[in-house]
Amino acid sequence: MFAIVFLDNHHGVIAYEPLFRGSISGAAIYPRAVVRRAIEHNCSAVIFAHNHPSGDTEPSRADRDATTRLKAALDLVDVRVLDHFIIGKGTPLSFAEEGYL
């Protein structure tokens, strides 16, 4: 599951949406759909979250690449990516805290 929290300019929550569902090994994430929803919500920032069914919260190369692509697409419409959390067993991993953003 890949979900997005859409935030206003004071980082108040506008909406939460699970946007993409995947299989046990991955999910297709489309920047075009993310940008469209961000514009529809008229948001200023977003936070991404997705789960790893394995429980391991270490981001894969695909996780990092998808985040980079989404960030670049949202930059074009002045929407900031504040964080991306991977949820598994134990404490979620924060891309911002790990320096991936």
Side-chain angles (χ1 to χ4, degrees):
M1 174 74 69
F2 183 91
I4 303 174
V5 179
F6 299 93
L7 306 166
D8 64 22
N9 61 343
H10 297 291
H11 298 164
V13 175
I14 295 170
Y16 162 83
E17 289 185 21
L19 207 54
F20 305 107
R21 293 182 188 270
S23 66
I24 193 76
S25 61
I29 299 168
Y30 302 102
R32 178 180 176 157
V34 172
V35 170
R36 181 176 48 243
R37 294 305 294 149
I39 289 170
E40 288 170 352
H41 284 298
N42 195 31
C43 70
S44 296
V46 294
I47 297 172
F48 303 131
H50 80 278
N51 69 311
H52 277 181
S54 69
D56 181 9
T57 58
E58 186 63 31
S60 67
R61 181 74 181 160
D63 292 335
R64 291 191 302 271
D65 290 347
T67 303
T68 299
R69 289 179 56 224
L70 291 171
K71 185 176 181 320
L74 289 166
D75 281 346
L76 294 172
V77 293
D78 297 321
V79 174
R80 291 183 55 217
V81 176
L82 300 182
D83 211 338
H84 181 165
F85 291 97
I86 298 177
I87 298 155
K89 292 181 183 170
T91 304
L93 179 130
S94 161
F95 274 50
E97 286 181 9
E98 296 294 322
Y100 295 130
L101 286 180

Coordinates of all heavy atoms in Angstrom, one line a residue:
M1 N 0.8 -1.2 0.0 CA 0.0 0.0 0.0 C 0.9 1.2 0.0 O 1.9 1.3 0.8 CB -0.9 0.0 1.3 CG -1.7 1.2 1.4 SD -3.1 1.3 0.3 CE -4.1 0.0 0.9
F2 N 0.6 2.2 -0.9 CA 1.3 3.5 -0.9 C 0.2 4.6 -0.6 O -0.7 4.6 -1.4 CB 2.0 3.7 -2.3 CG 2.8 5.0 -2.4 CD1 4.1 5.0 -2.0 CD2 2.2 6.2 -2.7 CE1 4.9 6.1 -2.1 CE2 2.9 7.3 -2.8 CZ 4.3 7.3 -2.5
A3 N 0.5 5.4 0.4 CA -0.5 6.4 0.8 C 0.1 7.7 0.8 O 1.4 7.9 1.0 CB -1.1 6.0 2.1
I4 N -0.7 8.8 0.8 CA -0.2 10.1 0.8 C -1.1 10.9 1.8 O -2.3 10.8 1.8 CB -0.3 10.8 -0.6 CG1 0.5 10.0 -1.6 CG2 0.2 12.2 -0.5 CD1 0.3 10.5 -3.0
V5 N -0.4 11.8 2.6 CA -1.1 12.8 3.4 C -0.8 14.1 2.7 O 0.3 14.5 2.5 CB -0.5 12.8 4.8 CG1 -1.2 13.9 5.7 CG2 -0.6 11.4 5.5
F6 N -1.9 14.8 2.4 CA -1.9 16.1 1.7 C -2.0 17.2 2.8 O -2.9 17.1 3.6 CB -3.0 16.2 0.7 CG -2.9 15.1 -0.4 CD1 -3.6 13.9 -0.3 CD2 -2.2 15.3 -1.5 CE1 -3.5 12.9 -1.3 CE2 -2.1 14.4 -2.5 CZ -2.8 13.2 -2.4
L7 N -1.1 18.1 2.7 CA -1.0 19.2 3.7 C -1.2 20.6 3.2 O -0.8 20.8 2.1 CB 0.3 19.1 4.4 CG 0.7 17.7 5.0 CD1 2.1 17.6 5.4 CD2 -0.2 17.4 6.2
D8 N -1.8 21.5 4.0 CA -1.9 22.9 3.6 C -0.6 23.6 3.9 O 0.4 23.0 4.3 CB -3.1 23.5 4.3 CG -3.0 23.6 5.8 OD1 -1.9 23.6 6.4 OD2 -4.1 23.8 6.4
N9 N -0.6 24.9 3.7 CA 0.7 25.7 3.9 C 1.1 25.8 5.3 O 2.2 26.2 5.6 CB 0.6 27.0 3.2 CG -0.5 27.9 3.8 OD1 -1.4 27.4 4.4 ND2 -0.4 29.2 3.5
H10 N 0.3 25.4 6.3 CA 0.6 25.4 7.7 C 0.9 23.9 8.2 O 1.0 23.7 9.4 CB -0.4 26.0 8.6 CG -0.6 27.5 8.3 ND1 0.3 28.4 8.6 CD2 -1.7 28.1 7.6 CE1 -0.1 29.6 8.2 NE2 -1.3 29.5 7.6
H11 N 0.9 23.0 7.2 CA 1.1 21.6 7.4 C 0.0 20.9 8.2 O 0.1 19.9 8.8 CB 2.5 21.3 8.1 CG 3.6 21.7 7.3 ND1 4.9 21.9 7.8 CD2 3.7 22.1 6.0 CE1 5.7 22.3 6.9 NE2 5.0 22.4 5.7
G12 N -1.2 21.6 8.1 CA -2.4 20.9 8.5 C -2.9 19.9 7.5 O -2.7 20.1 6.3
V13 N -3.5 18.9 8.0 CA -3.9 17.8 7.1 C -5.2 18.2 6.3 O -6.2 18.6 6.9 CB -4.2 16.5 7.9 CG1 -4.8 15.4 7.0 CG2 -2.9 16.0 8.6
I14 N -5.1 18.1 5.0 CA -6.2 18.3 4.1 C -6.9 16.9 3.9 O -8.1 16.8 4.0 CB -5.8 18.9 2.8 CG1 -5.2 20.3 3.0 CG2 -6.9 18.9 1.8 CD1 -4.5 20.8 1.7
A15 N -6.1 15.9 3.6 CA -6.7 14.6 3.3 C -5.6 13.5 3.4 O -4.4 13.8 3.3 CB -7.2 14.6 1.9
Y16 N -6.0 12.3 3.6 CA -5.2 11.1 3.6 C -5.8 10.2 2.6 O -7.0 9.9 2.6 CB -5.1 10.5 5.0 CG -4.7 9.0 4.9 CD1 -3.3 8.7 4.9 CD2 -5.6 8.0 4.9 CE1 -2.9 7.4 4.8 CE2 -5.1 6.7 4.8 CZ -3.8 6.4 4.8 OH -3.3 5.1 4.7
E17 N -4.9 9.7 1.7 CA -5.4 8.8 0.6 C -4.5 7.6 0.4 O -3.3 7.9 0.1 CB -5.6 9.5 -0.7 CG -6.8 10.5 -0.7 CD -7.0 11.1 -2.1 OE1 -6.5 10.5 -3.1 OE2 -7.6 12.1 -2.2
P18 N -5.0 6.4 0.6 CA -4.2 5.3 0.0 C -4.4 5.3 -1.5 O -5.5 5.3 -2.0 CB -4.9 4.0 0.6 CG -6.0 4.5 1.4 CD -6.1 6.0 1.3
L19 N -3.3 5.5 -2.2 CA -3.4 5.8 -3.6 C -3.0 4.6 -4.5 O -3.6 4.4 -5.6 CB -2.5 6.9 -4.0 CG -2.8 7.8 -5.2 CD1 -4.2 8.3 -5.1 CD2 -1.9 9.0 -5.3
F20 N -2.1 3.8 -4.1 CA -1.7 2.6 -4.9 C -1.6 1.4 -4.1 O -1.1 1.4 -2.9 CB -0.3 2.8 -5.6 CG -0.2 4.1 -6.4 CD1 0.5 5.2 -5.9 CD2 -0.9 4.2 -7.6 CE1 0.6 6.3 -6.7 CE2 -0.8 5.3 -8.4 CZ -0.1 6.4 -7.9
R21 N -2.0 0.3 -4.6 CA -1.9 -1.0 -4.0 C -1.0 -1.9 -4.8 O -1.0 -1.8 -6.0 CB -3.3 -1.7 -3.8 CG -4.2 -1.0 -2.9 CD -5.5 -1.8 -2.8 NE -6.5 -1.0 -2.0 CZ -6.6 -1.1 -0.7 NH1 -5.9 -1.9 0.0 NH2 -7.5 -0.4 -0.1
G22 N -0.3 -2.8 -4.2 CA 0.7 -3.6 -4.9 C 0.5 -5.1 -4.5 O -0.4 -5.4 -3.8
S23 N 1.5 -5.8 -4.9 CA 1.6 -7.2 -4.5 C 2.6 -7.4 -3.4 O 3.1 -6.4 -2.9 CB 2.0 -8.0 -5.8 OG 3.3 -7.7 -6.1
I24 N 2.9 -8.6 -3.1 CA 3.8 -8.9 -2.0 C 5.2 -8.3 -2.4 O 6.0 -8.0 -1.5 CB 3.9 -10.4 -1.7 CG1 4.6 -10.7 -0.4 CG2 4.5 -11.2 -2.9 CD1 3.9 -10.4 0.8
S25 N 5.5 -8.2 -3.7 CA 6.9 -7.8 -4.1 C 7.0 -6.3 -4.6 O 8.1 -5.9 -4.9 CB 7.4 -8.7 -5.1 OG 6.6 -8.7 -6.3
G26 N 5.9 -5.6 -4.7 CA 6.0 -4.2 -5.2 C 4.7 -3.6 -5.6 O 3.7 -4.3 -5.7
A27 N 4.8 -2.3 -5.8 CA 3.6 -1.6 -6.3 C 4.0 -0.6 -7.4 O 5.1 0.0 -7.3 CB 2.9 -0.8 -5.1
A28 N 3.2 -0.4 -8.4 CA 3.5 0.6 -9.4 C 3.0 2.0 -8.9 O 1.9 2.1 -8.4 CB 2.8 0.3 -10.7
I29 N 3.9 3.0 -8.9 CA 3.5 4.3 -8.4 C 3.7 5.3 -9.6 O 4.8 5.3 -10.2 CB 4.5 4.7 -7.2 CG1 4.3 3.7 -6.1 CG2 4.2 6.1 -6.8 CD1 5.3 3.8 -5.0
Y30 N 2.7 6.0 -9.9 CA 2.6 6.9 -11.0 C 2.7 8.3 -10.6 O 1.8 8.9 -10.1 CB 1.4 6.6 -11.9 CG 1.3 5.2 -12.3 CD1 0.5 4.3 -11.7 CD2 2.1 4.7 -13.4 CE1 0.4 3.0 -12.1 CE2 2.0 3.4 -13.8 CZ 1.2 2.5 -13.1 OH 1.1 1.2 -13.5
P31 N 3.8 9.0 -10.9 CA 4.0 10.5 -10.6 C 2.8 11.3 -11.1 O 2.3 12.2 -10.4 CB 5.3 10.9 -11.2 CG 6.1 9.6 -11.3 CD 5.1 8.5 -11.6
R32 N 2.3 11.0 -12.3 CA 1.2 11.8 -12.9 C 0.0 11.7 -12.0 O -0.7 12.8 -11.8 CB 0.9 11.2 -14.3 CG -0.2 11.8 -15.0 CD -0.4 11.1 -16.3 NE -1.6 11.6 -17.0 CZ -1.8 11.6 -18.3 NH1 -0.9 11.0 -19.0 NH2 -2.8 12.0 -18.8
A33 N -0.4 10.6 -11.4 CA -1.5 10.4 -10.5 C -1.3 11.2 -9.2 O -2.2 11.8 -8.7 CB -1.8 9.0 -10.3
V34 N -0.1 11.2 -8.7 CA 0.3 11.9 -7.5 C 0.2 13.4 -7.7 O -0.5 14.1 -6.9 CB 1.7 11.5 -7.0 CG1 2.1 12.3 -5.8 CG2 1.7 10.0 -6.6
V35 N 0.7 13.9 -8.8 CA 0.6 15.3 -9.1 C -0.8 15.7 -9.2 O -1.3 16.8 -8.7 CB 1.5 15.7 -10.3 CG1 1.2 17.1 -10.7 CG2 3.0 15.5 -10.0
R36 N -1.6 14.9 -10.0 CA -3.0 15.3 -10.2 C -3.8 15.4 -8.9 O -4.5 16.3 -8.6 CB -3.7 14.2 -11.1 CG -5.2 14.5 -11.3 CD -5.9 13.6 -12.3 NE -5.6 12.2 -12.0 CZ -5.0 11.3 -12.8 NH1 -4.5 11.7 -14.0 NH2 -4.8 10.1 -12.4
R37 N -3.6 14.4 -7.9 CA -4.2 14.5 -6.6 C -3.8 15.7 -5.8 O -4.6 16.3 -5.1 CB -4.0 13.1 -5.9 CG -4.7 11.9 -6.5 CD -6.2 12.1 -6.8 NE -6.9 12.2 -5.5 CZ -8.0 12.9 -5.4 NH1 -8.5 13.6 -6.4 NH2 -8.6 12.9 -4.2
A38 N -2.5 16.0 -5.9 CA -2.0 17.1 -5.1 C -2.6 18.4 -5.6 O -3.0 19.3 -4.8 CB -0.4 17.2 -5.3
I39 N -2.8 18.5 -6.9 CA -3.4 19.7 -7.5 C -4.9 19.8 -7.1 O -5.4 20.8 -6.7 CB -3.2 19.8 -9.0 CG1 -1.7 20.1 -9.3 CG2 -4.1 20.8 -9.7 CD1 -1.3 19.9 -10.8
E40 N -5.6 18.6 -7.2 CA -7.0 18.6 -6.8 C -7.2 19.0 -5.4 O -8.2 19.6 -5.1 CB -7.5 17.2 -7.1 CG -7.7 16.9 -8.6 CD -8.0 15.5 -9.0 OE1 -8.0 14.6 -8.0 OE2 -8.3 15.2 -10.1
H41 N -6.3 18.6 -4.5 CA -6.4 19.0 -3.1 C -5.9 20.4 -2.8 O -6.0 20.9 -1.7 CB -5.6 18.0 -2.2 CG -6.4 16.7 -2.1 ND1 -7.6 16.6 -1.5 CD2 -6.0 15.4 -2.4 CE1 -8.0 15.3 -1.4 NE2 -7.0 14.6 -2.0
N42 N -5.2 21.0 -3.8 CA -4.7 22.3 -3.6 C -3.7 22.4 -2.4 O -3.7 23.3 -1.6 CB -5.7 23.4 -3.5 CG -5.2 24.8 -3.7 OD1 -4.2 25.0 -4.5 ND2 -5.8 25.8 -3.0
C43 N -2.9 21.3 -2.3 CA -2.0 21.2 -1.2 C -0.7 21.9 -1.4 O -0.3 22.2 -2.5 CB -1.8 19.7 -0.8 SG -0.8 18.8 -2.0
S44 N 0.0 22.2 -0.3 CA 1.3 22.8 -0.3 C 2.4 21.8 -0.1 O 3.6 22.1 -0.4 CB 1.4 23.9 0.7 OG 0.5 25.0 0.4
A45 N 2.1 20.7 0.6 CA 3.1 19.7 0.9 C 2.5 18.3 1.0 O 1.2 18.2 1.2 CB 3.8 20.1 2.2
V46 N 3.3 17.3 1.0 CA 2.8 15.9 1.1 C 3.8 15.1 2.0 O 4.9 15.5 2.1 CB 2.7 15.2 -0.2 CG1 1.6 15.9 -1.1 CG2 4.0 15.2 -1.0
I47 N 3.2 14.1 2.5 CA 4.0 13.0 3.2 C 3.6 11.7 2.6 O 2.4 11.4 2.5 CB 3.8 13.0 4.7 CG1 4.2 14.4 5.4 CG2 4.5 11.8 5.4 CD1 3.9 14.5 6.8
F48 N 4.6 10.9 2.2 CA 4.3 9.6 1.6 C 4.5 8.5 2.7 O 5.3 8.7 3.6 CB 5.3 9.3 0.5 CG 5.3 10.2 -0.6 CD1 6.5 10.7 -1.1 CD2 4.1 10.7 -1.2 CE1 6.5 11.6 -2.2 CE2 4.1 11.5 -2.3 CZ 5.4 12.0 -2.8
A49 N 3.8 7.4 2.6 CA 4.0 6.3 3.4 C 3.7 5.0 2.7 O 2.7 5.0 1.8 CB 3.1 6.4 4.7
H50 N 4.5 4.0 2.8 CA 4.1 2.7 2.3 C 4.7 1.6 3.2 O 5.5 1.9 4.0 CB 4.7 2.6 0.8 CG 6.1 2.2 0.7 ND1 7.1 3.1 0.8 CD2 6.7 1.0 0.5 CE1 8.3 2.5 0.6 NE2 8.1 1.3 0.5
N51 N 4.1 0.4 3.0 CA 4.5 -0.7 3.9 C 5.4 -1.6 3.1 O 5.4 -1.7 1.9 CB 3.3 -1.4 4.5 CG 2.5 -2.1 3.4 OD1 2.2 -1.6 2.3 ND2 2.2 -3.4 3.6
H52 N 6.2 -2.3 3.9 CA 7.0 -3.5 3.4 C 6.4 -4.7 4.1 O 6.6 -4.9 5.3 CB 8.4 -3.3 3.8 CG 9.2 -2.4 2.8 ND1 10.5 -2.2 3.0 CD2 8.8 -1.8 1.7 CE1 11.0 -1.4 2.0 NE2 9.9 -1.1 1.2
P53 N 5.7 -5.6 3.4 CA 5.1 -6.8 4.0 C 6.2 -7.7 4.7 O 5.9 -8.4 5.6 CB 4.5 -7.5 2.8 CG 4.1 -6.4 1.9 CD 5.3 -5.4 2.0
S54 N 7.4 -7.6 4.2 CA 8.5 -8.4 4.8 C 8.8 -7.9 6.2 O 9.4 -8.7 7.0 CB 9.8 -8.3 4.0 OG 10.3 -7.0 4.1
G55 N 8.4 -6.7 6.6 CA 8.7 -6.2 7.9 C 10.0 -5.4 7.9 O 10.2 -4.6 8.9
D56 N 10.9 -5.6 7.0 CA 12.2 -4.8 6.9 C 11.9 -3.4 6.3 O 11.4 -3.3 5.2 CB 13.1 -5.6 6.0 CG 14.5 -4.9 5.8 OD1 14.8 -4.0 6.6 OD2 15.2 -5.4 5.0
T57 N 12.3 -2.4 7.1 CA 12.0 -1.0 6.7 C 13.1 -0.4 5.9 O 13.0 0.8 5.5 CB 11.7 -0.2 7.9 OG1 12.8 -0.2 8.8 CG2 10.5 -0.6 8.6
E58 N 14.2 -1.2 5.6 CA 15.3 -0.6 4.8 C 14.8 -0.3 3.4 O 14.2 -1.2 2.7 CB 16.4 -1.6 4.7 CG 17.7 -1.1 4.0 CD 18.3 0.1 4.7 OE1 18.2 0.2 6.0 OE2 18.9 1.0 4.0
P59 N 14.9 1.0 2.9 CA 14.4 1.3 1.6 C 15.2 0.6 0.5 O 16.4 0.5 0.5 CB 14.6 2.8 1.5 CG 15.6 3.2 2.5 CD 15.6 2.1 3.6
S60 N 14.5 0.1 -0.5 CA 15.1 -0.5 -1.7 C 15.5 0.6 -2.6 O 15.2 1.8 -2.5 CB 14.1 -1.4 -2.4 OG 13.1 -0.7 -3.0
R61 N 16.3 0.2 -3.6 CA 16.7 1.2 -4.7 C 15.5 1.7 -5.4 O 15.4 2.9 -5.7 CB 17.6 0.5 -5.7 CG 18.1 1.4 -6.8 CD 19.2 2.3 -6.2 NE 19.6 3.2 -7.3 CZ 20.2 4.3 -7.1 NH1 20.4 4.7 -5.8 NH2 20.6 5.1 -8.0
A62 N 14.5 0.8 -5.6 CA 13.2 1.3 -6.2 C 12.5 2.3 -5.4 O 11.9 3.2 -5.9 CB 12.3 0.0 -6.5
D63 N 12.5 2.1 -4.0 CA 11.9 3.0 -3.1 C 12.5 4.4 -3.2 O 11.9 5.4 -3.3 CB 12.0 2.6 -1.6 CG 11.2 1.3 -1.3 OD1 10.2 1.1 -2.0 OD2 11.6 0.6 -0.4
R64 N 13.9 4.4 -3.2 CA 14.6 5.7 -3.3 C 14.4 6.4 -4.7 O 14.1 7.6 -4.8 CB 16.1 5.5 -3.0 CG 16.3 5.1 -1.6 CD 17.8 5.2 -1.2 NE 18.6 4.3 -2.0 CZ 18.9 3.0 -1.7 NH1 18.4 2.5 -0.7 NH2 19.6 2.3 -2.5
D65 N 14.4 5.6 -5.8 CA 14.2 6.1 -7.1 C 12.8 6.7 -7.3 O 12.6 7.7 -7.8 CB 14.4 5.0 -8.2 CG 15.9 4.7 -8.3 OD1 16.8 5.4 -7.8 OD2 16.2 3.6 -9.0
A66 N 11.8 6.0 -6.8 CA 10.4 6.4 -6.9 C 10.2 7.7 -6.1 O 9.6 8.7 -6.6 CB 9.4 5.4 -6.3
T67 N 10.8 7.8 -4.9 CA 10.7 9.1 -4.1 C 11.4 10.2 -4.9 O 10.8 11.3 -4.9 CB 11.4 8.9 -2.7 OG1 10.7 7.8 -2.1 CG2 11.2 10.1 -1.9
T68 N 12.5 10.0 -5.5 CA 13.2 11.0 -6.2 C 12.4 11.5 -7.4 O 12.2 12.7 -7.6 CB 14.6 10.5 -6.7 OG1 15.4 10.2 -5.6 CG2 15.3 11.5 -7.6
R69 N 11.7 10.6 -8.1 CA 10.9 10.9 -9.2 C 9.7 11.7 -8.8 O 9.3 12.7 -9.4 CB 10.5 9.6 -10.0 CG 11.6 9.0 -10.8 CD 11.2 7.8 -11.5 NE 10.1 8.0 -12.4 CZ 9.0 7.2 -12.5 NH1 9.0 6.1 -11.8 NH2 8.1 7.5 -13.4
L70 N 9.0 11.2 -7.7 CA 7.9 11.9 -7.2 C 8.2 13.3 -6.7 O 7.5 14.3 -7.0 CB 7.2 11.1 -6.0 CG 6.6 9.8 -6.4 CD1 6.2 9.1 -5.2 CD2 5.3 10.1 -7.3
K71 N 9.3 13.5 -6.0 CA 9.8 14.8 -5.6 C 10.0 15.7 -6.7 O 9.6 16.9 -6.7 CB 11.0 14.7 -4.7 CG 11.5 16.0 -4.1 CD 12.6 15.7 -3.1 CE 13.1 17.0 -2.5 NZ 13.1 18.2 -3.2
A72 N 10.7 15.3 -7.8 CA 10.9 16.1 -8.9 C 9.6 16.5 -9.6 O 9.5 17.7 -10.0 CB 11.8 15.3 -9.9
A73 N 8.7 15.6 -9.7 CA 7.4 15.9 -10.4 C 6.6 17.0 -9.5 O 6.1 17.9 -10.1 CB 6.6 14.7 -10.5
L74 N 6.6 16.8 -8.2 CA 5.9 17.7 -7.4 C 6.6 19.1 -7.3 O 5.9 20.1 -7.1 CB 5.7 17.1 -6.0 CG 4.7 16.0 -6.0 CD1 4.8 15.2 -4.7 CD2 3.3 16.5 -6.2
D75 N 7.9 19.1 -7.4 CA 8.6 20.4 -7.4 C 8.1 21.3 -8.5 O 8.1 22.5 -8.4 CB 10.1 20.2 -7.5 CG 10.8 19.7 -6.3 OD1 10.2 19.9 -5.2 OD2 12.0 19.3 -6.4
L76 N 7.8 20.7 -9.6 CA 7.3 21.4 -10.8 C 6.0 22.2 -10.5 O 5.7 23.2 -11.2 CB 7.1 20.5 -12.0 CG 8.4 19.9 -12.6 CD1 8.0 18.9 -13.6 CD2 9.3 21.0 -13.1
V77 N 5.2 21.7 -9.5 CA 4.0 22.4 -9.2 C 4.0 23.0 -7.8 O 3.0 23.2 -7.1 CB 2.7 21.5 -9.4 CG1 2.5 21.1 -10.8 CG2 2.9 20.2 -8.5
D78 N 5.2 23.2 -7.3 CA 5.5 23.9 -6.0 C 4.8 23.1 -4.8 O 4.3 23.8 -3.9 CB 5.0 25.3 -6.0 CG 5.8 26.2 -7.0 OD1 7.0 25.9 -7.1 OD2 5.2 27.0 -7.7
V79 N 4.9 21.8 -4.8 CA 4.4 21.0 -3.7 C 5.7 20.4 -3.1 O 6.4 19.7 -3.7 CB 3.4 20.0 -4.1 CG1 3.1 19.0 -2.9 CG2 2.2 20.6 -4.7
R80 N 5.9 20.6 -1.8 CA 7.1 20.0 -1.1 C 6.8 18.6 -0.6 O 5.7 18.3 -0.1 CB 7.4 20.9 0.1 CG 7.9 22.3 -0.2 CD 8.4 23.1 1.0 NE 9.3 22.4 1.8 CZ 9.3 22.4 3.1 NH1 8.5 23.2 3.8 NH2 10.2 21.7 3.8
V81 N 7.8 17.8 -0.7 CA 7.7 16.5 -0.1 C 8.4 16.6 1.3 O 9.7 16.8 1.3 CB 8.4 15.4 -1.0 CG1 8.4 14.0 -0.3 CG2 7.7 15.3 -2.3
L82 N 7.7 16.4 2.4 CA 8.2 16.6 3.7 C 8.9 15.3 4.2 O 9.9 15.4 4.9 CB 7.2 17.1 4.7 CG 6.5 18.4 4.4 CD1 5.5 18.7 5.5 CD2 7.6 19.5 4.3
D83 N 8.3 14.2 3.9 CA 8.9 12.9 4.3 C 8.3 11.7 3.6 O 7.3 11.9 2.8 CB 8.6 12.7 5.8 CG 9.7 11.9 6.5 OD1 10.5 11.1 5.8 OD2 9.9 12.0 7.7
H84 N 8.9 10.6 3.7 CA 8.4 9.3 3.2 C 8.7 8.3 4.2 O 9.9 8.1 4.6 CB 9.1 9.0 1.8 CG 8.6 7.8 1.2 ND1 8.9 7.5 -0.1 CD2 7.9 6.7 1.6 CE1 8.4 6.3 -0.4 NE2 7.8 5.8 0.6
F85 N 7.7 7.7 4.7 CA 7.9 6.7 5.8 C 7.7 5.3 5.2 O 6.8 5.0 4.4 CB 6.8 6.8 6.9 CG 7.0 8.1 7.7 CD1 6.3 9.2 7.4 CD2 8.0 8.1 8.7 CE1 6.5 10.4 8.2 CE2 8.2 9.2 9.5 CZ 7.5 10.4 9.2
I86 N 8.5 4.3 5.6 CA 8.4 2.9 5.3 C 8.0 2.3 6.6 O 8.6 2.4 7.6 CB 9.6 2.3 4.7 CG1 10.0 3.0 3.4 CG2 9.4 0.8 4.5 CD1 11.3 2.4 2.8
I87 N 6.8 1.6 6.5 CA 6.3 0.9 7.7 C 6.5 -0.6 7.6 O 6.2 -1.2 6.6 CB 4.8 1.3 7.8 CG1 4.7 2.8 8.0 CG2 4.1 0.5 9.0 CD1 3.4 3.4 7.6
G88 N 7.0 -1.1 8.6 CA 7.3 -2.6 8.7 C 7.1 -3.0 10.1 O 6.3 -2.5 10.9
K89 N 8.0 -3.9 10.6 CA 8.0 -4.3 12.0 C 8.8 -3.2 12.7 O 9.9 -2.8 12.3 CB 8.7 -5.7 12.1 CG 7.9 -6.8 11.5 CD 8.6 -8.1 11.7 CE 7.8 -9.2 11.1 NZ 8.5 -10.5 11.1
G90 N 8.3 -2.9 13.9 CA 9.1 -1.9 14.7 C 8.8 -0.5 14.3 O 7.8 -0.1 13.8
T91 N 9.9 0.3 14.4 CA 9.8 1.8 14.2 C 9.8 2.0 12.7 O 10.7 1.5 12.0 CB 11.0 2.5 14.8 OG1 11.0 2.2 16.2 CG2 10.9 4.0 14.6
P92 N 8.9 2.9 12.2 CA 9.0 3.2 10.7 C 10.2 3.9 10.4 O 10.8 4.6 11.2 CB 7.8 4.1 10.6 CG 6.8 3.8 11.7 CD 7.8 3.4 12.8
L93 N 10.7 3.8 9.2 CA 11.9 4.5 8.7 C 11.4 5.8 8.0 O 10.5 5.8 7.3 CB 12.6 3.7 7.7 CG 13.9 4.4 7.1 CD1 15.1 3.5 7.2 CD2 13.6 4.8 5.7
S94 N 12.1 6.9 8.4 CA 11.8 8.2 7.8 C 12.9 8.6 6.8 O 14.1 8.7 7.2 CB 11.8 9.3 9.0 OG 12.0 10.6 8.5
F95 N 12.5 8.8 5.6 CA 13.5 9.3 4.6 C 14.1 10.6 5.0 O 15.3 10.8 4.8 CB 12.8 9.5 3.2 CG 12.7 8.2 2.4 CD1 12.2 7.0 2.9 CD2 13.1 8.2 1.1 CE1 12.1 5.9 2.1 CE2 13.0 7.1 0.3 CZ 12.6 5.9 0.8
A96 N 13.4 11.5 5.6 CA 14.0 12.8 6.0 C 15.0 12.6 7.1 O 16.1 13.2 7.0 CB 12.8 13.7 6.5
E97 N 14.7 11.8 8.1 CA 15.7 11.5 9.1 C 17.0 10.8 8.6 O 18.1 11.0 9.1 CB 15.1 10.7 10.3 CG 14.1 11.5 11.1 CD 13.5 10.7 12.2 OE1 14.0 9.6 12.5 OE2 12.6 11.2 12.9
E98 N 16.8 9.9 7.6 CA 17.9 9.2 7.1 C 18.7 9.9 6.0 O 19.7 9.4 5.5 CB 17.4 7.8 6.5 CG 16.8 6.9 7.5 CD 17.8 6.4 8.5 OE1 19.0 6.2 8.2 OE2 17.4 6.3 9.7
G99 N 18.2 11.2 5.6 CA 18.9 12.0 4.7 C 18.6 11.6 3.2 O 19.4 12.0 2.3
Y100 N 17.6 10.9 3.0 CA 17.2 10.5 1.6 C 16.5 11.5 0.8 O 16.3 11.4 -0.4 CB 16.4 9.2 1.6 CG 17.1 8.0 2.1 CD1 16.6 7.1 3.0 CD2 18.4 7.6 1.6 CE1 17.3 6.0 3.5 CE2 19.1 6.5 2.0 CZ 18.5 5.7 3.0 OH 19.2 4.6 3.4
L101 N 16.0 12.6 1.5 CA 15.2 13.6 0.8 C 16.1 14.9 0.6 O 16.8 15.3 1.4 CB 14.0 14.1 1.6 CG 12.9 13.1 1.6 CD1 11.7 13.6 2.5 CD2 12.4 12.8 0.2

